[in-house]
């Protein structure tokens, strides 16, 4: 009973609780803490006092470092580290460059590169893209007509979503524009004048796709 009272004596200093001398280094304090924790067994109160004492000594050591009261061993370790760094910088410049590169990478890990989406906010950009699609449609083989119309439909859908409309609504309007354009293309196909043009220069597939392409890009420009 007396031994338990002496162990749990609240008047003991952290050094006395851990059984180390004042000025002991961190490794000795940590070893003493581990030994005392094992000796405490199932005594939770004593374990708590041991951990509290360890924390107090650790904080005291950190404060001593901040105020400049560093132990002799710590000063020697710091000197050795400086000597090693000088040796690396003088005799192994490649290693020092690699070390500085690693430090640079660590400092820049918090700023990932920004990825910006394509912008169609400018009217001149929309007009230029629409004109480019029309030119490609006219000069490319007929097998690419559907691909160009599909891309134009997706661009129109993207523009509407970006303006705040829902995906289903945007897709519905885009398909509607495409359908209206294809209907006009089918009507042009039956026109005798258009048939004469198609026999001279443009294929009938081009004539069917042109109205849909124009209507889609009108939607891109004005929606």
């Amino acid at each position: 009973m007396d031994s338990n009272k002496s162990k749990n004596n609240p008047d003991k200093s952290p050094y006395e609780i851990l059984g180390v001398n004042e000025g002991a280094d961190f490794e000795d304090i940590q070893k003493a803490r581990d030994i005392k924790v094992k000796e405490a067994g199932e005594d939770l109160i004593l374990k708590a006092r041991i951990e509290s004492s360890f924390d107090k000594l650790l904080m005291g050591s950190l404060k001593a470092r901040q105020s400049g009261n560093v132990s002799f061993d710590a000063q020697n370790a710091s000197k050795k580290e400086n000597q090693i760094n000088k040796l690396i910088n003088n005799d192994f410049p490649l290693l020092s460059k690699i070390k500085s590169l690693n430090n640079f990478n660590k400092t820049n890990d918090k700023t990932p590169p920004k990825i910006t989406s394509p912008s169609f906010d400018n009217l001149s950009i929309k007009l230029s893209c629409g004109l480019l699609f029309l030119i490609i449609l006219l000069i490319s083989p007929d097998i690419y007509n559907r691909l160009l119309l599909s891309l134009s439909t997706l661009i129109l859908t993207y523009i509407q979503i970006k303006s705040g409309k829902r995906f289903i609504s945007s897709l519905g309007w885009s398909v509607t524009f495409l359908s209206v354009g294809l209907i006009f293309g089918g009507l042009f196909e039956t026109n005798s004048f258009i048939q004469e043009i198609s026999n001279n220069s443009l294929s009938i597939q081009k004539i069917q796709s042109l109205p849909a392409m124009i209507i889609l890009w009108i939607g891109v420009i004005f929606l």
Side-chain angles (χ1 to χ4, degrees):
M1 187 72 179
D2 294 337
S3 59
N4 291 333
K5 287 184 178 180
S6 60
K7 288 182 180 178
N8 296 323
N9 187 357
D11 296 332
K12 282 188 175 183
S13 67
Y15 291 103
E16 292 175 337
I17 293 173
L18 296 178
V20 295
N21 296 325
E22 294 187 12
D25 57 18
F26 174 75
E27 292 183 357
D28 292 338
I29 295 173
Q30 191 174 27
K31 289 179 182 178
R33 187 274 306 266
D34 295 338
I35 294 172
K36 290 295 183 180
V37 168
K38 289 181 181 179
E39 291 178 352
E42 301 297 329
D43 192 342
L44 299 180
I45 297 177
L46 182 56
K47 283 185 177 181
R49 293 197 63 202
I50 292 170
E51 294 294 344
S52 176
S53 300
F54 175 76
D55 293 339
K56 289 179 181 179
L57 294 183
L58 181 61
M59 292 300 296
S61 177
L62 291 175
K63 289 180 180 179
R65 281 177 175 271
Q66 293 174 355
S67 62
N69 299 326
V70 185
S71 64
F72 180 74
D73 292 336
Q75 291 178 354
N76 287 338
S78 179
K79 288 180 180 179
K80 289 180 181 179
E81 185 179 358
N82 292 332
Q83 291 175 356
I84 292 172
N85 289 333
K86 288 181 181 179
L87 180 64
I88 291 175
N89 293 332
N90 294 332
D91 297 340
F92 303 98
L94 181 60
L95 291 177
S96 62
K97 289 181 180 180
I98 293 174
K99 184 178 179 182
S100 61
L101 180 61
N102 289 333
N103 293 333
F104 176 78
N105 290 334
K106 289 180 180 179
T107 56
N108 287 275
D109 284 344
K110 297 181 180 179
T111 55
K114 294 182 179 179
I115 301 175
T116 57
S117 59
S119 175
F120 290 94
D121 295 335
N122 196 329
L123 180 61
S124 60
I125 294 177
K126 293 179 180 180
L127 291 172
S128 301
C129 291
L131 182 61
L132 178 62
F133 267 73
L134 284 175
I135 294 173
I136 295 174
L137 178 67
L138 293 173
I139 65 176
S140 63
D142 292 339
I143 58 174
Y144 295 111
N145 292 350
R146 292 183 178 179
L147 175 61
L148 292 170
L149 290 175
S150 299
L151 289 175
S152 300
T153 305
L154 291 175
I155 292 173
L156 178 57
T157 304
Y158 167 77
I159 291 294
Q160 294 180 81
I161 293 173
K162 193 175 179 182
S163 65
K165 294 182 180 179
R166 294 183 178 181
F167 172 75
I168 299 298
S169 175
S170 302
L171 184 61
W173 276 106
S174 300
V175 173
T176 301
F177 274 59
L178 175 63
S179 301
V180 171
L182 292 176
I183 291 172
F184 274 104
L187 294 176
F188 290 159
E189 180 185 357
T190 60
N191 188 287
S192 58
F193 177 72
I194 297 298
Q195 288 179 352
E196 184 178 351
I197 294 176
S198 66
N199 292 331
N200 294 332
S201 57
L202 295 177
S203 65
I204 195 66
Q205 290 84 1
K206 287 279 192 297
I207 294 174
Q208 290 175 344
S209 301
L210 269 174
M213 180 69 72
I214 293 171
I215 290 175
L216 284 170
W217 278 95
I218 289 175
V220 171
I221 293 170
F222 293 104
L223 287 182

